[in-house]
């Protein structure tokens, strides 16, 4: 597969450039600024784009390996200030691909899938793998790719950490039992709850949940005998936001930043270079049903990071009910497929209300619905007042312990999509 490597000297702009290159039907991969020329040699490299230089600046002064310019492929340096002039940069990149790199411009998602299947076969050989299936599209696509590559060498493990939404655990088990994925379901609800008991800090919660996940896998894998690989549905935004790109940690996505240092598996992460919308395209190619493809993203740590502060069984119960009502109303009104992600959050704010002429002092639920393409940026959705009114009225009437509902009007940035 012809590849353009994008060397990221520390600017988010490299993602836009990567997408530009892919939209010209050339596969692109982003690598950090300190990547060595030697590590690029195995790729079918047709060009290199260095992103993040200042005009006239020598990329080597920014830490670029001097051997990179000797690889014998065309090199383009883009300054981050070009960001504001997308049209010129579109044209610039297109000319570079067509005239200097002379690429075939015939890359498709089908080609990515086929190449990835071959890569996995080579990486894994006869060895066995486990995959943590969460029910979301990322881990499902990662599992299907590996299954296509090595069939029953793969065992999928669904860990019910107790932070799933209403009826979700049962639905996941039912859906994925239809595929030949050697699915094992583990009920670890008590264990996870005990692990984060009393923990209010979001990063600590994320890290504890991520680490516990791996421990559960290790235990299950040990029961299976020799297992060498762990398959994860890590996508590119997870990598960046967990600080493994050049940018600081925003939040530790549980399948990246939460990995313990003494991990006993080698990782297989076939989606590590894909954006969320591209994962959906891959899912369609792999034959996954629309219900999975259209499902809103759900974070690995689940409702635990949608409960602000300490997580308790009582709070989980409140949030499950409120979230279910909101999603139910979105579906009934036809809005569910029109928004990228929607959910309820249980804040730790309690306020005074009144019910049956009595004072109440109950929780505030926040509703959030966002438009996005890849989760890296987002806009809040202008849902109809009637829909919000209905959802709010039902939550206040049907969910005990809640006396106030608010709607989140924050874009990402400066907010993030999840509250923790
Ligand atoms: P944020 O909150 O970072 O979310 O703006 C961006 C997207 O990522 C999802 N998300 C996660 N997904 N593990 C995941 O698999 C995680 O730990 C995690 N945290 C956030 C979030 O739901 C949104 O779609």
């Amino acid at each position: 597969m012809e590849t353009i490597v994008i060397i990221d000297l520390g600017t988010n702009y490299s993602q836009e450039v990567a997408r530009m290159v892919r939209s010209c039907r050339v596969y692109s991969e982003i690598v950090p600024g300190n990547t060595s020329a030697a590590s690029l040699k195995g790729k079918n490299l047709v060009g290199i784009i260095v992103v993040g230089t200042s005009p006239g600046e020598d990329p080597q002064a920014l830490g670029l390996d001097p051997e990179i310019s000797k690889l014998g492929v065309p090199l383009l340096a883009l300054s981050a200030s070009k960001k504001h002039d997308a049209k010129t940069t579109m044209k610039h990149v297109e000319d570079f691909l067509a005239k200097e790199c002379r690429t075939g411009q015939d890359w498709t998602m089908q080609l990515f899938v086929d190449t990835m299947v071959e890569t996995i076969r080579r990486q894994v050989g006869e060895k066995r793998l486990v995959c943590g299936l969460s029910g979301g599209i990322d881990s499902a696509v990662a599992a299907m790719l590996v299954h296509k590559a090595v069939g029953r060498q793969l065992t999928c493990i669904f860990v019910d950490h107790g932070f799933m939404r209403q009826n979700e655990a049962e639905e996941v088990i039912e859906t994925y039992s239809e595929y030949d994925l050697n699915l094992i379901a583990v009920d670890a609800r008590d264990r996870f709850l005990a692990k984060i008991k009393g923990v209010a800090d979001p990063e600590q919660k994320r890290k504890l949940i991520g680490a516990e996940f791996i421990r559960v896998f290790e235990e299950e894998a040990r029961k299976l005998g020799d297992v060498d690989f762990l398959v994860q549905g890590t996508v590119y935004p997870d990598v960046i936001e967990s600080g493994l790109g050049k940018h600081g940690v925003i939040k530790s996505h549980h399948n990246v930043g939460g990995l313990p240092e003494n991990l006993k598996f080698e990782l297989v992460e076939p989606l590590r270079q894909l954006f969320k919308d591209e994962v959906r395209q891959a899912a369609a190619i792999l034959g996954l049903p629309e219900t999975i493809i259209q499902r809103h993203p759900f974070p690995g740590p689940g409702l635990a990071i949608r409960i602000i502060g300490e997580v308790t069984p009582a709070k989980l119960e409140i949030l499950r009910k409120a979230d279910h009502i909101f999603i139910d109303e979105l579906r009934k009104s036809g809005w569910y497929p029109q928004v990228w992600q929607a959910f309820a959050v249980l804040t730790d704010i309690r306020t005074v209300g009144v019910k049956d002429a009595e004072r109440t002092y109950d929780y505030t639920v926040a509703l959030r619905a966002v438009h996005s393409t890849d989760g890296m940026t987002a806009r809040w959705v202008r849902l109809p007042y009637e829909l919000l009114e209905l959802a709010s009225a039902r939550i206040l009437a049907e969910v005990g312990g809640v006396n106030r509902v608010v709607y989140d009007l924050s874009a990402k940035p400066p907010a993030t999509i999840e509250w923790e």
Side-chain angles (χ1 to χ4, degrees), residues 47-309:
I48 295 173
I49 304 180
V50 183
V51 183
T53 54
S54 300
E57 193 173 25
D58 177 5
Q60 278 169 32
L62 295 167
L64 195 73
D65 180 356
E67 295 298 314
I68 281 182
S69 55
K70 298 180 196 155
L71 284 171
V73 292
L75 197 140
L76 173 71
L78 287 180
S79 91
S81 58
K82 279 257 166 62
K83 186 175 179 169
H84 305 293
D85 190 4
K87 255 196 172 154
T88 319
T89 310
M90 256 315 221
K91 183 85 186 81
H92 212 134
V93 168
E94 238 180 274
D95 284 351
F96 174 69
L97 297 175
K99 295 180 186 153
E100 293 189 48
C101 307
R102 296 167 187 271
T103 59
Q105 294 189 244
D106 52 4
W107 179 72
T108 56
M109 191 49 73
Q110 180 71 55
L111 191 61
F112 176 86
V113 167
D114 295 342
T115 311
M116 193 45 78
V117 166
E118 275 311 311
T119 308
I120 295 167
R121 251 180 222 147
R122 248 182 286 124
Q123 185 187 357
V124 170
E126 302 286 307
K127 294 183 175 160
R128 292 171 71 193
L129 315 89
V130 281
C131 174
L133 210 59
S134 68
I137 188 164
D138 300 344
S139 56
V141 171
M144 294 297 279
L145 274 170
V146 173
H147 182 256
K148 203 169 157 65
V150 295
R152 292 181 67 83
Q153 282 164 246
L154 171 70
T155 299
C156 285
I157 302 174
F158 166 65
V159 180
D160 181 1
H161 51 22
F163 310 133
M164 305 298 281
R165 291 165 291 192
Q166 198 152 299
N167 307 326
E168 193 168 20
E170 297 79 0
E171 281 166 17
V172 169
I173 295 168
E174 199 184 311
T175 305
Y176 290 98
S177 298
E178 285 183 22
Y179 300 91
D180 187 24
L181 295 171
N182 288 324
L183 181 64
I184 296 173
V186 187
D187 180 353
R189 288 176 292 180
D190 294 344
R191 162 174 185 174
F192 274 85
L193 205 56
K195 199 85 205 170
I196 60 163
K197 191 171 171 24
V199 178
D201 176 71
E203 270 302 288
Q204 216 188 333
K205 265 195 240 175
R206 282 176 169 275
K207 291 208 160 139
L208 287 169
I209 294 170
E212 196 63 8
F213 246 96
I214 299 295
R215 296 290 162 247
V216 175
F217 283 133
E218 283 176 347
E219 286 171 23
E220 291 303 316
R222 219 172 293 133
K223 289 185 206 159
L224 293 170
D226 288 338
V227 174
D228 294 273
F229 294 93
L230 171 66
V231 182
Q232 293 213 117
T234 313
V235 291
Y236 193 62
D238 301 343
V239 178
I240 302 194
E241 299 215 332
S242 296
L244 305 188
K246 253 225 155 178
H247 319 280
V249 176
I250 296 169
K251 50 181 82 168
S252 299
H253 283 223
H254 95 275
N255 47 358
V256 186
L259 290 179
E261 277 169 20
N262 57 346
L263 186 72
K264 296 199 171 57
F265 302 107
E266 203 177 312
L267 290 179
V268 176
E269 295 182 310
L271 313 179
R272 212 179 155 83
Q273 288 287 341
L274 292 192
F275 293 94
K276 199 92 187 175
D277 48 319
E278 294 175 325
V279 176
R280 289 210 170 99
Q281 292 172 34
I285 288 170
L286 290 162
L288 283 165
E290 276 300 302
T291 44
I292 295 177
I293 297 175
Q294 293 308 333
R295 193 174 182 268
H296 290 175
F298 187 61
L303 301 183
I305 55 152
R306 291 180 179 172
I307 290 172
I308 311 308

Side-chain angles (χ1 to χ4, degrees), residues 375-390:
M376 298 297 294
T377 58
R379 286 177 298 121
W380 60 274
V381 182
R382 288 160 192 255
L383 290 178
Y385 283 165
E386 295 72 20
L387 168 56
L388 290 171
E389 186 178 21
L390 205 57

Side-chain angles (χ1 to χ4, degrees), residues 206 241 251 253-254 297 299-301 340-341 375 412 416-418:
R206 282 176 169 275
E241 299 215 332
K251 50 181 82 168
H253 283 223
H254 95 275
W340 196 75
Q341 191 173 15
K412 174 184 180 176
T416 53
I417 296 177
E418 303 289 347

